[in-house]
Amino acid sequence: MEQIAASELTQLAREQAVLDLADFDEVVRLYRPRVFRFLLASLRDRDAAENLTQDCFLKAYMGRRNFRGDSSLSTWLMKIAMNLVRDHLRSKRMRFWTKTRETALDPIDVSDWVPDGRSSPEAEMIARTEVQHVWKAVSALPAKQREVFVMRFVEEMELKEIADLTGMNPSTVKTHLYRALAAVRETVGSKA
Amino acid sequence: MNNESMNLDELYPESDAATKRDLEELANTISQFRSAVHHIAAGEDARPIAWQLEKARLRQRSKQRRVMLEWAVAAALCVAAMVPAVNFYRDHAAAVRAQQQAQFLKQREADTALLDQVTSELSEAVPDSLQPLAEMDSDYANNQATTGESKNGRN
C-alpha cells in the first residue's frame, strides 16, 4: 500500500515538474538568478555568465520534452549549467589563441558588494579585503573543487544534491570540498 | 552560529577551540563572499525571455558556423601539409621502382648469360668412346716416325 502511495507521489511529482516546464517564462523567472549566480561564481566573467545563462535556458527549452522529472527542475537546470561551464572552459583552453574580452570581474568590484553594517570603517575594509582574497582563491581552485565549492557555499546545496548533480560519490564531493576549503583558508589566512 | 559554520563543522568535526574560532571567521568571510555574488547577480537586469532565447539561438548558429569553418580550415591545412609529403613519397616510390627495375634487368642479364653458358656447354658434341685410344695410337705413330727419321739421319 505504502509502495503504491510512494510511486503515485513520484508520478505526481514528475507530472508537476513537467507541467512546471510547460510554463517556460515562469521557469526562467524562477531559476535564472540561481543559474546566473552559479555561472558567475564559476567563470568570474559577467558576459560569459550572461551568455551561458541564455544558452542554458535555450538548451532546457529545446530539451524540455526529454525532461522526465527524475530530478528536480532546479537540479536539471544546474546540471545543464555545469556542463556548459565545463564545455566553456574546455573550449577556452582549446582556443588559447583567441583574445578573451575584458569582462572578467575584478575582485575589487566584487568586494564593493560586501553588505554594510560593520562597526567601523576599518572592519569594513578588512571584510572587503577578505572577500577579495576568497574570490581570488576560488579563481585559483581546480575546476572540480571550484564547482563543488560554489554549489555548496554560494548556492547552499546539500552534499547529496551536489553528488547527484556532478555524478560524484558523496565522499568524493566531501573530499573536493575539504581541499577547496583548505586552499581558500590558506589564501585568506596567509593574506590576513 | 551561521549556516557556513555548520557546513564547516561537518568537514572539521574534531577541531579545538582555536581552530573553531578560525573556522568561524572563515565561515563569516565565505558568507560575505556569497552575499557579494548574490548582490552582483541580483543587479543583472533580466531581459524578456523570448529575446534571451533568440539571442542564444543566434549565438548557437554562429558557433556552429564557426566550428564548421574551423574544421574546413583545419582540413585545408592538412591537405596543404600533405601535398609535399605525398610528392616526396611519390618521387621516392618512383626512384625505388626504377632501382628495382634496373636491378631486375641486371639480374636477368646475368641469368641469361649463365643460361647461355650452360646451354653451350650442354650442346657440345660428346667425344667418341675410342677417342683416347685413337689419340694414343696417333701419338705412338708420330713418335715412331720421328725416331725413324733421326736414325736415317745418323746413318
Side-chain angles (χ1 to χ4, degrees):
Chain A
M1 183 71 181
E2 269 179 23
Q3 268 185 338
I4 294 168
S7 68
E8 274 177 3
L9 273 176
T10 317
Q11 184 61 29
L12 267 175
R14 284 181 182 178
E15 280 169 9
Q16 187 56 47
V18 175
L19 276 176
D20 282 350
L21 200 53
D23 187 5
F24 204 72
D25 282 11
E26 190 62 13
V27 170
V28 178
R29 197 185 63 76
L30 271 176
Y31 297 107
R32 190 187 181 281
R34 188 179 203 190
V35 170
F36 181 72
R37 269 197 313 267
F38 170 69
L39 291 167
L40 184 71
S42 300
L43 301 170
R44 296 142 347 259
D45 184 323
R46 211 187 288 259
D47 275 2
E50 179 69 43
N51 289 345
L52 290 194
T53 307
Q54 290 168 2
D55 289 353
C56 175
F57 284 105
L58 178 69
K59 279 200 169 199
Y61 184 75
M62 306 294 267
R64 68 191 187 283
R65 306 253 175 265
N66 301 328
F67 178 65
R68 296 185 306 275
D70 294 340
S71 59
S72 72
L73 204 53
S74 163
T75 308
W76 184 58
L77 288 169
M78 287 295 279
K79 202 173 229 172
I80 297 174
M82 187 185 72
N83 288 333
L84 283 170
V85 169
R86 287 178 182 173
D87 285 351
H88 178 81
L89 293 177
R90 203 179 303 131
S91 70
K92 205 173 158 187
R93 259 204 312 275
M94 296 287 281
R95 292 169 192 282
F96 54 89
W97 65 88
T98 56
K99 194 170 178 281
T100 44
R101 281 195 294 162
E102 293 297 321
T103 56
L105 273 173
D106 198 292
I108 295 164
D109 294 346
V110 178
S111 67
D112 284 348
W113 292 97
V114 171
D116 224 349
R118 297 279 169 285
S119 51
S120 65
E122 195 192 357
E124 199 181 314
M125 190 63 159
I126 290 169
R128 280 173 185 238
T129 315
E130 281 175 351
V131 168
Q132 283 173 27
H133 292 155
V134 174
W135 185 255
K136 277 184 189 165
V138 171
S139 312
L141 287 176
K144 276 193 179 160
Q145 286 180 23
R146 187 170 53 235
E147 219 166 58
V148 171
F149 183 91
V150 170
M151 283 176 191
R152 183 68 174 141
F153 292 112
V154 177
E155 289 312 316
E156 297 177 281
M157 290 163 73
E158 294 298 324
L159 286 179
K160 196 189 164 302
E161 201 182 352
I162 298 173
D164 286 346
L165 201 66
T166 52
M168 285 192 259
N169 199 307
S171 57
T172 314
V173 171
K174 217 168 172 176
T175 309
H176 279 307
L177 202 53
Y178 185 84
R179 286 182 186 157
L181 259 177
V184 171
R185 196 178 169 192
E186 199 184 316
T187 311
V188 174
S190 67
K191 302 258 168 92
Chain B
M1 187 180 266
N2 62 19
N3 199 17
E4 264 70 41
S5 310
M6 286 191 290
N7 291 340
L8 295 182
D9 284 345
E10 281 173 22
L11 293 164
Y12 301 91
E14 293 161 5
S15 44
D16 57 16
T19 315
K20 272 201 180 357
R21 210 173 34 250
D22 191 25
L23 286 177
E24 221 160 299
E25 277 175 25
L26 180 65
N28 213 15
T29 310
I30 290 174
S31 164
Q32 285 162 4
F33 168 72
R34 193 184 59 238
S35 304
V37 175
H38 278 242
H39 270 96
I40 295 168
E44 289 295 309
D45 63 327
R47 303 221 168 83
I49 313 303
W51 182 87
Q52 287 187 40
L53 292 183
E54 188 52 35
K55 206 178 161 204
R57 196 171 287 137
L58 286 174
R59 205 173 32 250
Q60 205 174 41
R61 260 186 229 145
S62 81
K63 191 181 166 186
Q64 281 169 350
R65 254 181 253 135
R66 199 181 55 220
V67 168
M68 276 168 65
L69 189 71
E70 280 175 0
W71 276 108
V73 169
L77 284 176
C78 276
V79 169
M82 279 187 50
V83 165
V86 166
N87 281 342
F88 172 76
Y89 176 75
R90 210 165 43 195
D91 294 348
H92 179 71
V96 167
R97 234 185 349 258
Q99 199 180 355
Q100 279 174 345
Q101 185 80 15
Q103 205 172 354
F104 172 73
L105 286 173
K106 218 158 93 178
Q107 185 71 39
R108 204 165 63 176
E109 274 171 23
D111 289 352
T112 312
L114 184 67
L115 274 174
D116 287 349
Q117 190 192 337
V118 170
T119 311
S120 71
E121 277 174 14
L122 281 177
S123 61
E124 266 180 19
V126 179
D128 190 6
S129 54
L130 295 175
Q131 178 78 25
L133 199 63
E135 277 173 7
M136 274 173 66
D137 192 37
S138 100
D139 284 348
Y140 179 73
N142 285 341
N143 282 342
Q144 283 297 321
T146 322
T147 320
E149 277 171 19
S150 59
K151 271 183 185 171
N152 289 337
R154 241 183 286 148
N155 293 332

